[in-house]
Amino acid sequence: NAGVMQNPRHLVRRRGQEARLRCSPMKGHSHVYWYRQLPEEGLKFMVYLQKENIIDESGMPKERFSAEFPKEGPSILRIQQVVRGDSAAYFCASSRLGLGEKLFFGSGTQLSVL
Amino acid sequence: DAKTTQPNSMESNEEEPVHLPCNHSTISGTDYIHWYRQLPSQGPEYVIHGLTSNVNNRMASLAIAEDRKSSTLILHRATLRDAAVYYCILRDAGGTSYGKLTFGQGTILTVHP
């Protein structure tokens, strides 16, 4: 049973470009979470999604960031017009149920903005 | 989620036990104590969790104080692969829990050969 798969593992973008980060949850998991880890900082919650629904996006920056988890396919975290401050490791996690379940994390996508 | 306090770093020798402390004096009655660890260049990994009683699994043991204001993660025989940042996190068992974890700075564990 494959774990949480994130791709790409590393992503380089120039300022102003768009970044698309993908996350395939574990088989049977319908809850997806995105976290961001800025350099020398801790992990911060960004958004919680179930299939086709955004449940909690309280940690998402108000502009340029969006997330989706369609009925078919992986969850996507999209960052438009990237800036240098977006450089970070982005982790996706999934769980089978929403409440109290342990989370399974992917290996992350390291975004570097030049 | 309530706040936890952990030492910034700890060191251990290989094959020796490691006790990682966590203070959570403002814990509420419905808060579970969760531990995750993050190896270099990896995502966090679940280690163990508990509510009131001590817990054991194949990775570690969790000792919870009687007043629940502190807990200790115990690695019985540290290996080099246990070198990681260890996070102690409180999760409300109520309806708002889901997966919104609040990570602190954690404890950086260094294991010496």
Side-chain angles (χ1 to χ4, degrees), chain A residues 41-81:
Chain A
E41 291 190 20
L43 287 134
K44 304 292 185 189
F45 167 83
M46 299 182 74
V47 63
Y48 163 40
L49 310 103
Q50 293 179 30
K51 283 286 187 180
E52 301 184 277
N53 289 302
I54 297 175
I55 307 303
D56 182 350
E57 57 181 347
S58 59
M60 288 276 272
K62 293 289 185 286
E63 298 178 348
R64 302 187 298 106
F65 284 71
S66 63
E68 63 178 12
F69 188 17
K71 186 176 180 181
E72 301 291 337
S75 174
I76 305 289
L77 179 66
R78 182 183 292 109
I79 310 172
Q80 296 177 302
Q81 300 173 334

Side-chain angles (χ1 to χ4, degrees), chain B residues 57-99:
Chain B
N57 66 21
R58 64 176 181 81
M59 290 181 70
S61 296
L62 177 60
I64 302 172
E66 194 169 337
D67 63 5
R68 299 207 329 122
K69 293 185 184 300
S70 66
S71 60
T72 302
L73 179 70
I74 302 166
L75 307 179
H76 295 285
R77 291 180 64 193
T79 70
L80 297 178
R81 289 174 294 178
D82 291 322
V85 180
Y86 286 78
Y87 298 99
C88 171
I89 300 167
L90 299 184
R91 291 190 67 180
D92 183 3
T96 61
S97 173
Y98 50 84

Side-chain angles (χ1 to χ4, degrees), chain A residues 1-5 23-32 51 69 93-97 101 104:
Chain A
N1 187 12
V4 177
M5 303 300 293
C23 169
S24 295
M26 287 183 67
K27 185 176 181 181
H29 287 194
S30 59
H31 300 257
V32 166
K51 283 286 187 180
F69 188 17
S94 73
S95 68
R96 188 172 57 89
L97 302 174
E101 283 258 313
F104 293 84

Side-chain angles (χ1 to χ4, degrees), chain A residues 6 8 14-15 25 29 37 40 55 59 62 88-89 94 107:
Chain A
Q6 289 189 250
R14 296 190 181 280
R15 281 179 297 172
H29 287 194
Q37 188 167 33
E40 308 303 323
I55 307 303
K62 293 289 185 286
S94 73
S107 295

